[in-house]
Amino acid sequence: VTGVVVNRKMNVSSEYKREIRKEVYYCLKYGMDGRILSINNNNRPKNYLQGLLGRINYVLQICPNDRKFIEYREKISETKV
């Protein structure tokens, strides 16, 4: 229900992480406006950015030492909308 996988330790599913990695990659490559246009999303860039940061923070809440997602949070937080 919550999307948390518990095997040896708590973690987020690999599919969820993969989707976030994909979003971050495209946002950094094409810019926030370019990414929103490419997925035909009617959200404003600020709303899209907040949603992406929320998903990154969710992963970091469950896996606080995930260096890659800490880096993603920093890069996306620096993005100007």
Side-chain angles (χ1 to χ4, degrees):
V1 173
T2 61
V4 177
V5 178
V6 180
N7 289 330
R8 293 183 186 162
K9 63 177 184 166
M10 285 185 15
N11 207 348
V12 180
S13 72
S14 58
E15 294 86 17
Y16 191 76
K17 285 184 172 184
R18 190 177 311 119
E19 285 296 317
I20 294 174
R21 276 190 222 105
K22 181 179 76 171
E23 292 293 324
V24 170
Y25 170 78
Y26 285 125
C27 286
L28 296 176
K29 182 172 182 178
Y30 299 112
M32 195 64 60
D33 293 331
R35 179 62 186 152
I36 290 172
L37 289 174
S38 72
I39 59 174
N40 294 324
N41 194 337
N42 293 329
N43 279 341
R44 296 182 318 191
K46 185 174 183 178
N47 292 345
Y48 178 79
L49 179 68
Q50 289 174 344
L52 182 57
L53 280 172
R55 289 183 282 159
I56 291 169
N57 284 328
Y58 170 72
V59 172
L60 288 173
Q61 181 179 4
I62 296 170
C63 311
N65 297 325
D66 192 328
R67 291 181 185 173
K68 204 64 172 163
F69 278 84
I70 292 171
E71 181 182 324
Y72 292 157
R73 180 176 56 191
E74 291 170 0
K75 286 182 179 180
I76 295 297
S77 295
E78 293 171 356
T79 303
K80 300 292 182 198
V81 179

